[in-house]
Amino acid sequence: MKKTLKVISILLCAVLTACNKTGATQAPPAQFTLSYADANVTVRADGDYCGTGDALAFSCVKNEYEGAQLLLTAETEVTDIELTASDLFCGSDVLAKENFDVYGENCFSITEPENADSPYAAGIYPDGLIPMAYWKAAGENRIPAGQTRGLWVTVYIPKDTPAGVYTGSFTLTAGGRTQAVPVRVQVYDYTLTDEVTMQTLFLMRSDYA
């Protein structure tokens, strides 16, 4: 009996040792922080903007598209980033996940402003919005250590959506981590028309020619 127990103990030690060795080869989860920004905010990849609010928040009327940004600031390199939408709820009313689109922000570098009047200092700025599937396929869904990237999310509010505050969460996977991202959509009881008749004026500077 003692001999049998000794053999079992040796086997258990071997299994545990093998598990420890296997675990030691796995990379630790990436370290990053999350924050949020409105659609009208430009967040430089190398800047120190830390975002505002406690959720990915939208304020909309019916038949409108609106956007918001989820910001990831990487302490270590973050790879394999993906944000998956889910249905949101206001009581028994549902804002379906199909009404959301997720994009990765592509960036470009300005090494020297083109003229003294340029509002852009040297730095790394967000530019193109790449649909999540293409962002992943191109291997662009990563953030170098010390930089910030935004995931741009748009929502469309169908005309028949009841007014109210819709809440829930999306799922973020990044660098070996998975976490819930709180989402809030305020829908007001007003519907935009399909045709816009308001007159508009586009100003062009002469030096753009």
Side-chain angles (χ1 to χ4, degrees), residues 132-185:
M132 178 60 68
Y134 295 101
W135 202 49
K136 289 175 54 183
E140 296 292 335
N141 59 333
R142 54 177 296 276
I143 308 173
Q147 292 192 16
T148 297
R149 290 286 189 280
L151 296 180
W152 188 286
V153 182
T154 62
V155 61
Y156 170 69
I157 309 299
K159 295 178 182 180
D160 59 352
T161 304
V165 179
Y166 292 78
T167 59
S169 62
F170 292 173
T171 301
L172 174 70
T173 56
R177 289 172 52 181
T178 299
Q179 65 185 87
V181 175
V183 184
R184 181 174 61 253
V185 179

Side-chain angles (χ1 to χ4, degrees), residues 26-176:
Q26 296 178 350
Q31 299 300 311
F32 58 86
T33 57
L34 297 181
S35 55
Y36 311 92
D38 294 334
N40 61 350
V41 177
T42 298
V43 181
R44 281 174 42 173
D46 57 346
D48 57 2
Y49 181 83
C50 60
T52 58
D54 57 358
L56 193 63
F58 305 81
S59 183
C60 317
V61 297
K62 303 174 187 181
N63 198 31
E64 180 184 25
Y65 289 88
E66 187 56 87
Q69 300 177 74
L70 172 64
L71 306 174
L72 287 80
T73 300
E75 300 173 22
T76 61
E77 183 183 35
V78 181
T79 59
D80 301 322
I81 302 168
E82 184 172 11
L83 182 66
T84 304
S86 300
D87 294 343
L88 302 185
F89 298 90
C90 177
S92 60
D93 297 321
V94 180
L95 182 58
K97 61 184 178 182
E98 288 77 16
N99 293 304
F100 293 90
D101 290 302
V102 182
Y103 303 85
E105 293 180 348
N106 205 9
C107 293
F108 70 97
S109 296
I110 294 179
T111 56
E112 183 177 348
E114 62 180 3
N115 57 58
D117 297 328
S118 173
Y120 299 106
I124 306 174
Y125 291 84
D127 185 30
L129 299 180
I130 315 299
M132 178 60 68
Y134 295 101
W135 202 49
K136 289 175 54 183
E140 296 292 335
N141 59 333
R142 54 177 296 276
I143 308 173
Q147 292 192 16
T148 297
R149 290 286 189 280
L151 296 180
W152 188 286
V153 182
T154 62
V155 61
Y156 170 69
I157 309 299
K159 295 178 182 180
D160 59 352
T161 304
V165 179
Y166 292 78
T167 59
S169 62
F170 292 173
T171 301
L172 174 70
T173 56

